[in-house]
Amino acid sequence: LGWLALRRMSRLPPADPRPRLGPPRPPAATALGQRFARPVAEHPGLSGVRPLLDPLEALAARIRLIRAAEASLDLQYYVWRGDIAGTLLLAELLAAARRGVQVRLLLDDNGIAGGPAGLDPLLRALDEHPLIEVRLFNPFVLRRWKPLGYLVDFDRLNRRMHNKALVADGTLAILGGRNIGDEYFGATDGALFADLDALVAGEVVADLAADFARYWQSGSAHAASRILVGIPPWPGARIGTRAAEARARPEARLYAEALADPPEPDPLLDPAGFEWVRCTLVSDDPGKGLGTAGRDDFLDRQLLRVIGQPSRFLGLVSPYFVPTRAGVAAITRLARSGVEVAVLTNGWEANNHRIVHSGYAPHRRALLAAGVRLFEAKRQPRLAPDPAAAAAAPGGRWAPRMWLRSSGSALHAKTFTVDGSRLFIGSFNFDPRSIVHNTELGILIESPRLAGALAAEFAAGFPGAAYRVERRGRDLAWIEADGTEHRTEPGTRARDRLATRCLALLPLDSLL
């Protein structure tokens, strides 16, 4: 009886009616649209790209896009925290709506704290504004005890929207690996994440806007007002109070520059700061969230069709690298065909999901035996960014070594370079969850400049930021930039290594 009652309480309401807010107005008349009209016309078929490596610059870009918007803001995110960054950005969205901007916010329901003590009351308040609509992807009906929902609807709730994107006035967009939370922007005492986004303009923005629309109208996107039933909304004044309290917290001092009004014209939104290249958007069918998407439409196969066969070099950066036996076999064939393959992933000490390490560690010997070069990111101390070091690094500010060294403790970027000419930036991890269960989003950028910067970092070995892993007979060695060798995995104790070996024996790969 208890099981039946739980199933009844967890049942989704009937399919939503059409979304309350429709497509945004054309961007031509907006200030952003006018600013980028000429460079877009001068680069037909191309997209402007500006990588966002520094976490504070990435926050500043989001704030400035929201403040610059005059017609529309479309946002979709996997994680949205109720911390300083999350609260301030929600307050910025409310301010945008109050000046007449249409705001559509699509959040994966697994990535927000539910219940009256979580974000639910704030989201209800935003959704009540006539120019804001909030929708939840694959939502949990039980708000206070979300995990119970997995017990009765695991197949659906195990499929999450991992996409991260923001589109302003149909003109500029940000997409990549960053969620919304202090750990992604550098203001927390806990784990920080070294990540990578791209600020884009031009043709790829229209593709991204169309992709957002199909997610917005998909069968997995439910109106927040129909899910958050019984959650009393906050008064609008309380949102302002909550934002003021967030600004007053000591950690928010790190955000002072990002929150400040920029000089005019805003250098971050200057078309001259973009590289105009060919870009291809790749995105999972939102039907993947309901298990109805065709396998050929999954993002990994889209990437294979777009990229083709690497001829010289493939460098992968993935925080959660779970290659599986099939993946190891494919990488081995590629390496033995003469293609240089290198991988950067989190070491055990830097991985914030230690169980995922058990899906990677058993494959290291096979990968090394095939000639694959392996690098494992160290857990980094918190250091202030060094602009001089960034300028001197290969590829200028785009060098990944810089974001590993300056942004905190753990790698979170998802990127790869192919033959020194193409670079991928997105949400896709090289693991079974990204391939099979989650929806993902990214762009393939045809830029020797950007791709070459990442290839140069692989060639240099990420000195000071990662260990180089090598075989020593039947054992492994973790080698520092100065040649120091560790014959046991850095940061681990005997019980950690035993736990990793035991977990590796379980059939968990598909869940990692």
Side-chain angles (χ1 to χ4, degrees):
L1 290 177
W3 176 261
L4 292 175
L6 184 60
R7 283 184 62 88
R8 183 182 296 273
M9 289 188 296
S10 302
R11 188 177 302 159
L12 272 173
D16 290 338
R18 296 177 62 183
R20 176 163 50 86
L21 297 180
R25 302 194 306 272
T30 67
L32 282 179
Q34 293 173 358
R35 186 181 307 174
F36 279 83
R38 183 173 179 179
V40 169
E42 291 173 345
H43 301 91
L46 302 182
S47 301
V49 179
R50 177 173 183 151
L52 300 172
L53 292 96
D54 180 83
L56 296 179
E57 184 180 59
L59 177 63
R62 287 166 169 81
I63 291 173
R64 292 180 191 179
L65 278 191
I66 294 172
R67 291 178 179 175
E70 297 175 354
S72 65
L73 288 163
D74 290 338
L75 304 91
Q76 63 179 144
Y77 280 95
Y78 173 57
V79 171
W80 196 299
R81 306 285 190 212
D83 54 15
I84 299 173
T87 299
L88 293 178
L89 285 171
L90 289 176
E92 293 285 348
L93 293 179
L94 179 59
R98 285 172 171 168
R99 65 174 186 268
V101 179
Q102 175 180 289
V103 179
R104 298 189 295 182
L105 179 60
L106 177 61
L107 299 177
D108 185 276
D109 197 32
N110 193 57
I112 60 174
L119 279 183
D120 286 359
L122 201 160
L123 295 178
R124 276 292 310 274
L126 293 176
D127 190 64
E128 289 191 345
H129 191 284
L131 287 179
I132 300 178
E133 184 174 1
V134 180
R135 293 174 75 81
L136 301 175
F137 192 91
N138 261 356
F140 295 75
V141 175
L142 297 176
R143 304 311 298 172
R144 293 176 183 269
W145 303 98
K146 278 187 174 184
L148 289 178
Y150 281 111
L151 299 177
V152 294
D153 202 359
F154 181 78
D155 184 63
R156 177 179 68 85
L157 294 174
N158 190 42
R159 300 174 183 273
R160 308 314 316 176
M161 183 190 73
H162 200 233
N163 311 33
K164 295 106 174 168
L166 184 162
V167 183
D169 283 352
T171 301
L172 289 178
I174 298 172
L175 76 164
R178 283 187 178 90
N179 293 300
I180 302 301
D182 290 334
E183 65 264 43
Y184 302 95
F185 300 117
T188 177
D189 292 331
L192 301 175
F193 294 121
D195 222 320
L196 176 62
D197 292 319
L199 178 60
V200 295
E203 186 169 278
V204 76
V205 178
D207 295 337
L208 187 58
D211 191 66
F212 176 88
R214 68 172 182 158
Y215 272 83
W216 186 250
Q217 297 163 4
S218 73
S220 292
H222 290 252
S225 60
R226 296 168 66 88
I227 300 299
L228 306 183
V229 178
I231 302 291
W234 281 2
R238 186 172 176 185
I239 298 176
T241 301
R242 177 77 172 262
E245 291 172 350
R247 280 176 174 266
R249 290 175 57 182
E251 305 96 310
R253 288 178 300 194
L254 293 171
Y255 291 159
E257 185 175 347
L259 291 167
D261 291 329
E264 288 294 339
D266 187 347
L268 190 57
L269 306 184
D270 184 352
F274 290 70
E275 181 181 2
W276 293 86
V277 294
R278 192 168 301 280
C279 293
T280 303
L281 181 75
V282 287
S283 174
D284 274 309
D285 185 328
K288 192 177 179 183
L290 295 174
T292 60
R295 182 65 181 90
D296 283 343
D297 293 327
F298 285 15
L299 186 140
D300 64 316
R301 293 197 177 177
Q302 293 180 46
L303 280 173
L304 289 174
R305 290 194 293 269
V306 172
I307 295 169
Q309 181 80 0
S311 60
R312 301 189 314 275
F313 177 70
L314 174 64
L316 304 177
V317 178
S318 179
Y320 313 119
F321 181 57
V322 183
T324 73
R325 290 182 181 178
V328 169
I331 293 172
T332 296
R333 286 194 299 269
L334 188 63
R336 288 177 176 167
S337 72
V339 177
E340 180 186 356
V341 181
V343 177
L344 170 67
T345 189
N346 274 316
W348 189 91
E349 64 182 5
N351 201 319
N352 65 310
H353 293 301
R354 296 279 170 78
I355 191 172
V356 175
H357 195 67
S358 67
Y360 154 70
H363 300 295
R364 287 184 289 209
R365 288 176 177 79
L367 291 169
L368 291 169
V372 177
R373 299 171 63 209
L374 289 182
F375 300 94
E376 295 182 4
K378 297 180 175 182
R379 184 175 182 84
Q380 296 292 319
R382 295 188 63 176
L383 302 175
D386 182 350
R397 299 193 64 190
W398 299 319
R401 175 173 33 178
M402 193 55 206
W403 32 270
L404 278 174
R405 302 185 75 160
S406 67
S407 297
S409 61
L411 175 70
H412 194 257
K414 307 100 166 53
T415 183
F416 62 80
T417 177
V418 181
D419 293 336
S421 62
R422 288 170 289 175
L423 181 77
F424 173 84
I425 297 177
S427 66
F428 180 77
N429 289 306
F430 293 86
D431 60 16
R433 172 159 292 282
S434 286
I435 293 172
V436 178
H437 299 297
N438 292 346
T439 68
E440 306 287 352
L441 172 72
I443 53 171
L444 187 69
I445 305 165
E446 298 184 23
S447 167
R449 183 185 186 190
L450 298 180
L454 179 54
E457 288 300 321
F458 273 107
F462 306 96
Y467 302 103
R468 185 176 77 255
V469 185
E470 293 186 358
R471 292 193 303 167
R472 294 290 184 266
R474 297 179 60 183
D475 298 324
L476 298 177
W478 288 260
I479 304 169
E480 308 234 24
D482 61 3
T484 302
E485 289 195 11
H486 303 270
R487 300 305 291 269
T488 57
E489 193 161 359
T492 63
R493 295 165 291 185
R495 66 184 184 186
D496 301 321
R497 297 188 289 275
L498 177 61
T500 298
R501 287 194 293 270
C502 291
L503 288 170
L505 298 175
L506 301 176
L508 298 176
D509 279 4
S510 64
L511 299 176
L512 300 180

